[in-house]
Amino acid sequence: MALIAAACAGAALGGCDLHGSLLTGAAPQAPVSAHPGGLGATAGPTSTLRSTPPPGVGTGAAGSPGTYTGSLTVTGPSTVTLTQTTGTTGTTGTTGTTGTTGTTTITTTGTTGTATGTTQTTGTTTTPVLPGANRPTIALGDENTPEQFVLGDLYRVALTDQGFSVSISQNIGTSPIAQQAMAQGTLDLYPAYLNQWDTEVAKQDGVFSSRQAALDAGESYADAHGMQLLNPSPGSDTYGLAVTSQYARANRLHSLADLALLPTPFVLGAPLEFSVSGGGLAAVETAYAFKPGSVQSINVGSQYGDLAAGTIQVGFVQTTDWELARPELATRQFTLLADPKHILGFGNVVPVTTKAVLAAEGLDFAATIDHVTALLSTKMLRELNAAVELDGENPQDVATTFLALNGIIPPGDGS
């Protein structure tokens, strides 16, 4: 978890400079409570009572009430008993002469009466009504991957902190299954990826020139079917190709286009699905005009070990793999090759909901989700994945720590 904290200390990682809760406001003031005789206080948290002159000093003619001054600090709801002294002036005593100068000393005797008054200060605390209070329960779902578990808990914890009631289901299945659940009203919100939405749900094949173009296509389909895509994340989770950093430096590799300039054939390792998919390796080879010396079928997860061992020189990856997050591990430094033509698409996180849910949950529902999504850069998604897959942290703990570090929730919240 310390690595997430360290990552959030740098503004370059995106979003970690956001501080302050979503809702702020001044503490309510308690009412004024008056005491007979002009004593009064504004209740708290701290209240002060005053009158004049000092307590216990009687003044005035015989039989008239004295006045006094004093102060009392009251913290919190309290009952204060105030003793007020009223003085009576006694009779004048005998007059005598003291000393050779004939100085006259007047001796006065009298009695002091007491009267007791009470005042009670009551401090009241008004708890603000959270925006999610009394709203329908939100059925939130995520897919069965470590990254999706973290995303689901990020949205669940942030929404719960704003008073929304949230139930979460993990492993909601494929996009068609999720869409069926949304149509039936058993699923209200789930984090999708833009390229996944465009190809699997909106059936928009082809290459988009920009993220906005891909988003426009996805939003057009959503709008026509009573759904809504919320703001996309700055970070993107797509397929990609990577090499060891040493191999990249030796061959001056920065993007997929540079693979066409390699002087010797290279071995590319990829799972069968990517190798045979029309939108996978074949599309990349055509767009960037390179051809591997050979393609080796690998299991997802083994490619980084194969790259480090040199059995393959170019390997299939996901752009948010945790292995790409830790350049300080000298024996496992990898370089992701850029895809300037966006052949592999835009994998920005896009939370999906329906127009009916938006209407029922109110504006703060979408605002809370958008606030979280805006923090998810590609580098931060890698760090969150590393916290779960490398450090063995619980996804809920990772999500809670991340939200607290970014000021989305107060420290200690998120249970």
Side-chain angles (χ1 to χ4, degrees), residues 43 48 69 105 116 156 165 173 215 220 336-337 350 359 374 388 404 414:
T48 303
T69 189
T105 301
T116 302
R156 180 189 64 80
S165 176
L215 183 61
S220 178
L336 175 69
L337 299 178
V350 280
V388 175

Side-chain angles (χ1 to χ4, degrees), residues 281-376:
L281 181 58
V284 173
E285 289 178 342
T286 300
Y288 293 106
F290 70 82
K291 191 70 177 177
S294 63
V295 177
Q296 180 176 317
S297 181
I298 62 170
N299 295 320
V300 174
S302 69
Q303 65 267 49
Y304 292 99
D306 294 337
L307 284 168
T311 56
I312 61 174
Q313 285 75 55
V314 181
F316 165 90
V317 298
Q318 292 279 155
T319 57
T320 60
D321 283 348
W322 69 262
E323 288 91 343
L324 301 172
R326 304 291 171 84
E328 71 275 13
L329 301 181
T331 60
R332 295 179 67 85
Q333 288 187 347
F334 304 99
T335 296
L336 175 69
L337 299 178
D339 178 17
K341 296 182 179 180
H342 310 297
I343 304 302
L344 296 172
F346 297 89
N348 308 82
V349 178
V350 280
V352 181
T353 188
T354 68
K355 293 179 180 180
V357 170
L358 284 175
E361 300 297 342
L363 296 177
D364 289 288
F365 167 72
T368 300
I369 295 169
D370 288 343
H371 200 172
V372 174
T373 308
L375 303 175
L376 302 177

Side-chain angles (χ1 to χ4, degrees), residues 99-238:
T100 58
T101 61
T103 301
T104 301
T105 301
I106 304 298
T107 303
T108 303
T109 61
T111 60
T112 300
T114 61
T116 302
T118 61
T119 185
Q120 181 172 343
T121 62
T122 304
T124 60
T125 301
T126 302
T127 302
V129 177
L130 294 172
N134 303 316
R135 301 282 187 176
T137 297
I138 300 162
L140 167 66
D142 57 52
E143 297 177 17
N144 186 25
T145 68
E147 182 171 291
Q148 280 274 307
F149 291 157
V150 174
L151 289 173
D153 274 321
L154 283 172
Y155 295 126
R156 180 189 64 80
V157 172
L159 287 167
T160 301
D161 191 71
Q162 290 302 306
F164 292 95
S165 176
V166 183
S167 65
I168 189 167
S169 298
Q170 296 177 326
N171 194 16
I172 58 174
T174 63
S175 294
I177 294 175
Q179 291 306 298
Q180 182 179 5
M182 296 197 86
Q184 294 172 344
T186 57
L187 180 64
D188 299 321
L189 171 70
Y190 76 97
Y193 300 95
L194 184 54
N195 55 359
Q196 176 193 53
W197 174 268
D198 283 344
T199 57
E200 296 180 8
V201 180
K203 304 302 181 182
Q204 296 287 329
D205 293 326
V207 176
F208 294 100
S209 60
S210 67
R211 187 186 76 168
Q212 189 59 53
L215 183 61
D216 289 344
E219 286 181 331
S220 178
Y221 178 90
D223 184 64
H225 292 80
M227 290 179 285
Q228 181 71 49
L229 301 185
L230 300 183
N231 289 348
S233 68
S236 175
D237 181 354
T238 68

